[in-house]
Amino acid sequence: MTADLIAVVLLLAVTAYACAGGTDYGAGFWDLTAGGTERGRRPRWLIDHAMAPVWEVNNVWLIFVLVVMWTGFPTFFQAVFSAMWLPLALAVVGMVLRGAGFAFRKPTRRLAGRRLFGAVFAVASVVTPFCLGTAVGGIASGRVAPGTTASADAWTNPTSLVFGLVAIATTAFLGAVFLTGDARRFEAPELIGYFRRRALSSLGVLTVLAVVTGFVTHEDSPYVWHGLTHGPGLLFVAVAGGAALATGWLLLRTPGTWLRVTAVGVVASAVLAWGMAQRPYLLPTSLTVADAAGSPATLTWLAIVTLVALVLVVPAVVFLYWLDAHGELEELTDADLRMERGTTGDGTAPDL
């Protein structure tokens, strides 16, 4: 019973990272495709301002995923990281380079330096979700089992490759949707239509890839295919489809708060559908939740720690997101700093 509870916690943490982290990766995707210096200046300006307050905190969900995997299901953790260490290592390198590129791009004075760090940030924002997607595909395809040695087949099979493409399309979709709202918040009307068109196009690509995924999993991952077309898995697939239709309809109208809700609903439902499709396995058809679970005492303490995190960490993160959404975390402008010092640009006291 405790093992099943921890497995649900793990799935919810993966879902949270897919939605929160995916939005940031999607911003990086649109940074990569924004064009040259002049053409991409405004979109990149919005991306910098939208991501700055929260991009680091989204990795909290990834850390939580790793802690739960390692502590609650050590056999599962060992099997996954042994069989697919290469794509996971590439993903980690991508996360580090992505963060460094984003952090150093803005304060760098020279144009060449800003271009270099911007390119590192943008390319890593595409490589990282692709590598993570291939790892998830390797799990779903059943090619990873306890004792499986590292091999290219574990993460370059048809299911892995299509999952990697779905991961990129998903992040692009989330990023465009959230940037549409940010364009309205930052009073940049020309960017509302810019990112709304990209949200619609990425939603279309994601829909096509979802159909392709169905055909691929039918042939390459029969257990997951059966789970996606029956029971709770099918229910969440239907919810994801309904949320996608609602998102498309809202994108054709004036963007509002509900647009973000339905977009997150698409991604969250899709991840939950995959998790439900694998029941009762963590590694289809070789490792069940019960077999992978750690000792009862460890699981009990992990449940207690999860409860503490739920009470202390989750409200703080949600509050941070709320502050960001309401514009309470904006950077101080030069005028703001002068006002704080009590002077204007020419050294005189400001008019009050």
Side-chain angles (χ1 to χ4, degrees), residues 286-299:
S286 60
L287 186 66
T288 65
V289 170
D291 291 337
S295 67
T298 299
L299 293 177

Side-chain angles (χ1 to χ4, degrees), residues 2 8-9 35 40 48 59 66 97 116 163 170 173 179 205 217 224 228 241 262 280 296 323 332 343 348:
T2 307
V8 171
V9 170
D48 281 345
N59 289 322
L66 295 176
L97 292 178
L116 173 62
F163 271 45
T170 298
F173 165 65
L179 286 168
V205 171
T217 54
V224 169
L228 291 173
T262 58
L323 289 174
L332 292 175
T343 61
T348 61

Side-chain angles (χ1 to χ4, degrees), residues 241-321:
L245 290 174
T247 303
W249 181 74
L250 290 171
L251 282 169
L252 296 174
R253 300 169 63 86
T254 303
T257 303
W258 282 105
L259 176 61
R260 291 185 171 187
V261 174
T262 58
V264 169
V266 173
V267 179
S269 298
V271 175
L272 293 173
W274 160 62
M276 293 295 103
Q278 292 196 172
R279 293 180 313 137
Y281 293 100
L282 289 175
L283 295 174
T285 52
S286 60
L287 186 66
T288 65
V289 170
D291 291 337
S295 67
T298 299
L299 293 177
T300 299
W301 278 106
L302 186 56
I304 295 173
V305 170
T306 299
L307 180 61
V308 172
L310 183 65
V311 173
L312 298 180
V313 178
V314 173
V317 173
V318 171
F319 183 56
L320 178 65
Y321 289 152

Side-chain angles (χ1 to χ4, degrees), residues 200-220:
L200 281 168
S201 62
S202 57
L203 178 59
V205 171
L206 185 59
T207 301
V208 172
L209 285 175
V211 174
V212 173
T213 301
F215 285 106
V216 171
T217 54
H218 180 268
E219 299 298 327
D220 195 56

Side-chain angles (χ1 to χ4, degrees), residues 104-180:
F104 289 124
R105 175 171 67 175
K106 191 171 183 179
T108 300
R109 297 294 183 182
R110 300 185 61 178
L111 179 61
R114 289 200 301 270
R115 286 177 173 174
L116 173 62
F117 288 124
V120 170
F121 160 69
V123 172
S125 295
V126 175
V127 172
T128 301
F130 177 78
C131 290
L132 293 175
T134 60
V136 172
I139 294 172
S141 69
R143 287 176 170 84
V144 178
T148 301
T149 57
S151 67
D153 182 60
W155 61 283
T156 59
N157 56 79
T159 301
S160 289
L161 295 178
V162 75
F163 271 45
L165 294 176
V166 167
I168 294 175
T170 298
T171 60
F173 165 65
L174 283 174
V177 166
F178 274 73
L179 286 168
T180 300

Side-chain angles (χ1 to χ4, degrees), residues 41-51 179-180 182-183 186 188 191 195:
R41 181 178 60 84
R42 288 287 286 170
R44 292 189 177 104
W45 165 84
L46 180 63
I47 289 168
D48 281 345
H49 280 71
M51 283 185 57
L179 286 168
T180 300
D182 289 327
F186 285 100
L191 293 178
F195 282 111

